[in-house]
Amino acid sequence: MTRPTTIDEVRQAYLDFFQAKDHLVVPSASLIPAGDPTLLFTSAGMVQFKSYFSGEERPPRPRLASSQKCFRTSDIDEVGDPKHLTFFEMLGNFSIGDYFKREAIAWAWEFCTQVLQLPEERLWITVFLDDDEAEAIWREIGVPPERILRYGEEHNYWGPAGEEGPCGPCSEIHYDYGEEYGPDATPAEGGERFVEIWNLVFTQFHQRRDGSRTPLPTPNIDTGMGLERTAAIMQGVRSVYQTDAFDYLVERGAELAKMRYGEDEEMDYALRVLAEHARAVTFLIADGVAPSNEGRGYVLRRILRRAVRYARKAGVPAVEGGFLSGMAEAVIQRMGPVYPELERERDFIYSVIRGEEQRFNRTIDAGTAFLEGMLEGRVTAREQLLGLLKAVSSRPEISRDDNSAEEVAEVAIWAAKLRNKLREGTPLGSLMTGKGAEVDAFNRGLLAFGLEKTMQFVASMVQETDLTDEQILDKAPKLSSAIEQLLPATKRIFGNEAFLLYDTYGFPPDITRDIAREHGLQVDMEGFEREMEAQRERGRASAKFGLGDAASPEAYQTLATGESRFTGYDSLREETVVIGLLAGGAPVERASKGQQVEVVLRETPFYAEAGGQVGDTGQLRGPLGVVR
């Protein structure tokens, strides 16, 4: 048997193997789950089979297999490292009330050791804490007891996918790269030594939204094997970005950036993030997701803008038509034969990417300059405060020589200036950073954080600039304490500042958080959410007075991806996707029975009222209802 190595060969080998085991090979479902309001995206292979597992519908066959495209944002901060992705392919075999643990374990071992020809000594197994049956089966097929480890729910219990659904204990297969990558490491820790390649889930329960679990009508099997991770092992590389799933994209990014991959680690990291995000957005848009400020659209916008920022970081120059479109083109060429929707939606993908890239580029320069000024102000303020703290902390060693006297005088003058400026109403930030209006947001943040009183206390301790050394010495402990209370404020971006960047410059808070993290700062996300809720409340109040009866230009702007393509000259019916939904003049994720809504479609056979001709009437039909 020829050993599969390329990503296409591994995918096909898996599907062929389980087809030979009497499984029906099912095409990948959309990244937008059909009829499942508990999930934003398809995050696992079993999502399209949830109704089969719960007993609500009968499957076409009790044994199924698929290669499912999946999307998750839980690992977005790790994207760029050797194994974490947002978009990935999950190979899976499923049993709906047919076979159970024994067959699932035996076939997984057979595929790994005979088809993939992985060395048995490289494979480690984990099982749920009290799953004696699973461990016994692994031992029967020849896995030594020392390579079978037990873990609790945190590591070996899966599901549900969403707020409710099938779940159960699981058993994982981990590949061991060798002791040189961590002699004391364990599969649960992951690290550089181990990588999880396959998860066998024994779905036995249905979990409700309240957390309670009830047994399913029959026990089922739900497995997930990471295609990209497995391909990395088969191709003898440590990173998914070195496989044929990504190498062409990394090279395309380097070509656009006019640089060579492998010469600068920081730039290499940016190129890996760019490659991953370009692949993800191409698939999301192909399945009908359009940028917006809520739900799936917001996630897409976040990924797109994150890609733009990393491209700029990598020094990608302006490219006619947009560099991300060039990346998407490479994705479509490589993966279109496996996923024909990419080729079918090529023009729509380019339109959405170019529009979003152009809009973000118009604001990113101003927003980045504002944020960088804010971050610089934090650094300056911190340096000044640390200098003052050092001066105050040295007071116990005070002496009467000239240098000490000068140092004491500097502290006294600084504190007196603070007091006077506060009394005059001068913003604190302009005294502390010398940046004036550029740090207004910082000043507001200090006030919101309740630190004005701290600074007033610092200033009030010096009534005159001619205090004696002994008087300064007496006040030193209180002054040190006050400064220490203020220092944490220099290590964070306040919620109202993050909101200002979002509201004025269109900066998603996640990008603000990314940039802040690079400077060693944190973002007050709770404060940001409070500001967002206050804005929503203002919007709801405005709507009560009739301001929400018609959609504003700004509301349409959030949905703008180019005009809907009119197809009514050729057909009175059209299968298309919803790219925008408005209710009460504002974008929404869903609408309920009886609401008046405005629906934006990618294509439409409905003629819009114009030139004296009335608009067409008809119905929009989908899996969740009808719009007349």
Side-chain angles (χ1 to χ4, degrees), residues 190-353:
E192 295 186 8
R193 176 173 174 178
F194 293 98
V195 59
E196 176 199 333
I197 58 173
W198 206 340
N199 190 4
L200 316 177
V201 183
F202 313 126
T203 51
Q204 299 169 256
F205 305 99
H206 180 90
Q207 181 169 309
R208 298 189 179 90
R209 296 193 184 199
D210 62 6
S212 61
R213 294 169 181 164
T214 55
L216 291 170
T218 56
N220 308 300
I221 289 296
D222 158 27
T223 81
M225 185 179 206
L227 177 57
E228 291 84 357
R229 291 183 179 186
T230 304
I233 294 169
M234 300 306 296
Q235 293 172 33
V237 295
R238 294 299 313 279
S239 168
V240 295
Y241 297 98
Q242 295 173 284
T243 69
D244 60 340
F246 282 103
D247 57 1
Y248 70 98
L249 265 180
V250 172
E251 287 303 316
R252 179 64 173 143
E255 177 187 329
L256 289 170
K258 302 188 185 309
M259 60 179 287
R260 294 185 55 158
Y261 184 79
E263 295 180 348
D264 183 304
E265 177 49 36
E266 185 178 3
M267 294 300 101
D268 290 350
Y269 186 88
L271 288 171
R272 293 195 295 270
V273 174
L274 177 57
E276 199 283 336
H277 286 359
R279 196 174 79 138
V281 301
T282 301
F283 274 89
L284 286 171
I285 297 169
D287 278 351
V289 183
S292 72
N293 288 336
E294 292 187 339
R296 297 185 185 99
Y298 175 76
V299 175
L300 173 61
R301 173 163 284 166
R302 173 189 176 188
I303 297 289
L304 275 165
R305 293 187 168 186
R306 202 168 188 265
V308 171
R309 197 178 75 79
Y310 270 97
R312 292 165 70 100
K313 189 173 182 178
V316 177
V319 177
E320 186 176 353
F323 67 88
L324 274 180
S325 297
M327 300 287 285
E329 182 180 15
V331 175
I332 294 169
Q333 288 175 350
R334 177 63 65 91
M335 303 191 73
V338 180
Y339 294 102
E341 63 270 24
L342 296 178
E343 182 61 47
R344 189 170 61 244
E345 305 299 341
R346 175 190 291 266
D347 292 341
F348 180 58
I349 292 168
Y350 292 162
S351 170
V352 172
I353 290 178

Side-chain angles (χ1 to χ4, degrees), residues 8-31:
D8 289 340
E9 289 172 349
V10 173
R11 184 194 301 110
Q12 195 59 50
Y14 183 94
L15 297 176
D16 291 346
F17 177 83
F18 281 100
Q19 190 170 39
K21 304 290 186 187
D22 201 27
H23 288 65
L24 174 67
V25 175
V26 179
S28 171
S30 169
L31 287 170

Side-chain angles (χ1 to χ4, degrees), residues 32 285-289 345 348 574-580 599-603:
I32 303 177
I285 297 169
D287 278 351
V289 183
E345 305 299 341
F348 180 58
E574 185 69 49
E575 184 172 342
T576 184
V577 295
V578 174
I579 61 174
V599 183
V600 184
L601 302 175
R602 188 181 62 204
E603 301 95 6

